[in-house]
Amino acid sequence: MTTDVIAIDGPAASGKSTVAAGLAERLRIPYINTGSMYRAITLAAMRRGVSAANCTEAALAPVLERLQLDYVRNDAGHFVLRMDGHETDAALRSAEVAALVSPVAALPNVRAWLRERQRALAAAGRLVMEGRDIGTEIFPDARFKFFLTATPEERARRRPAQSGENFDGATLESVAAAIAERDRIDSTRTVAPLRPAADAVLVDSTGLEVDEVVNLLARKVME
Ligand code: DC
């Protein structure tokens, strides 16, 4: 059995979100950014006093118990993330959330909580889902799997420009260092580490325009 999901995985700032949104628009199907779900949990945890010093499953359990995270279709047919009934905002992109999200995403109870919700979303029909473990853990039977990469230098240049993440005037080197640290935690964690699925199509987007990457993926899907 295959699931009618187009899985796009890859490291931080590899251009996944822009490409995934572009591909979904091209195919006129919804797009889910799972990184936002991890960021929303991180923001909720921070509001309850969780920091790098006490980022444990025990600290996250009461956060998960109370948090309501839904994707709701808006008038345009796009899925919009709601946190406790409210649309999420720029707070998800803050440097503070970015610094804590990888340790939060490494916790097994956080991943299990989201796995269930992410799988349920596929019931809505064909969609593009983007993250770190969509092709390996969430939908190992996804119909299409892509793994997007780019050189660390290119990713450092793209991050502030593309995501709207606020780096507070940080230099390119410190952005690159923050991205490298996030990659390190994401790919060395025990549960669902960042890695390409054996049957994923690897796409290096270094030096390519967004449209070129979207075209490449769209061609594979249409084939
Ligand atoms: O894509 P992003 O930068 O918004 O993701 C934020 C963090 O969430 C990233 O550092 C790792 C984590 N993440 C994950 O572990 N699994 C996913 N499917 C998506 C994101």
Side-chain angles (χ1 to χ4, degrees), residues 16 34-35 38-39 93 101-102 105 111 131-133 159 182 186 189:
K16 295 186 306 293
T34 59
Y38 285 96
R39 286 170 183 264
R93 302 276 140 205
V101 65
S102 282
R111 303 206 72 86
R132 303 291 191 289
D133 62 342
R159 185 87 228 192
R182 206 123 63 87
D186 293 345
R189 69 183 172 220

Side-chain angles (χ1 to χ4, degrees), residues 5-17 19-20 23 31-35 38 111 118 128-142 144-150 155 183 186 189 192-205 213 217:
V5 165
I6 300 172
I8 303 185
D9 291 304
S14 54
K16 295 186 306 293
S17 306
V19 166
L23 181 66
Y31 154 62
I32 300 285
N33 175 336
T34 59
Y38 285 96
R111 303 206 72 86
Q118 288 162 0
V128 176
M129 192 176 283
E130 173 240 313
R132 303 291 191 289
D133 62 342
I134 310 306
T136 51
E137 292 291 325
I138 307 299
F139 295 112
D141 56 356
F144 300 100
K145 297 180 188 177
F146 298 100
F147 194 87
L148 230 59
T149 57
R155 292 194 281 134
D183 285 353
D186 293 345
R189 69 183 172 220
L194 168 69
R195 62 179 170 80
D199 53 349
V201 176
L202 303 186
V203 179
D204 185 345
S205 69
V213 185
L217 269 51

Side-chain angles (χ1 to χ4, degrees), residues 69-92:
L69 217 53
D70 309 289
Y71 268 99
V72 183
R73 262 182 210 266
N74 67 11
D75 294 343
H78 296 302
F79 276 117
V80 183
L81 182 62
R82 289 227 182 121
M83 194 176 158
D84 294 329
H86 302 286
E87 269 187 38
T88 52
D89 52 18
L92 291 191

Side-chain angles (χ1 to χ4, degrees), residues 125-220:
R126 202 169 180 221
L127 52 82
V128 176
M129 192 176 283
E130 173 240 313
R132 303 291 191 289
D133 62 342
I134 310 306
T136 51
E137 292 291 325
I138 307 299
F139 295 112
D141 56 356
R143 190 179 295 271
F144 300 100
K145 297 180 188 177
F146 298 100
F147 194 87
L148 230 59
T149 57
T151 59
E153 297 73 27
E154 174 122 349
R155 292 194 281 134
R157 274 195 299 274
R158 283 176 186 173
R159 185 87 228 192
Q162 287 192 348
S163 70
E165 213 167 85
N166 175 12
F167 279 99
D168 302 318
T171 61
L172 198 64
E173 293 90 87
S174 71
V175 174
I179 289 174
E181 176 59 4
R182 206 123 63 87
D183 285 353
R184 190 190 64 74
I185 301 176
D186 293 345
S187 47
T188 57
R189 69 183 172 220
T190 329
V191 192
L194 168 69
R195 62 179 170 80
D199 53 349
V201 176
L202 303 186
V203 179
D204 185 345
S205 69
T206 309
L208 295 181
E209 296 293 332
V210 172
D211 266 359
E212 294 179 285
V213 185
V214 172
N215 287 342
L216 201 152
L217 269 51
R219 263 205 310 277
K220 295 265 181 213

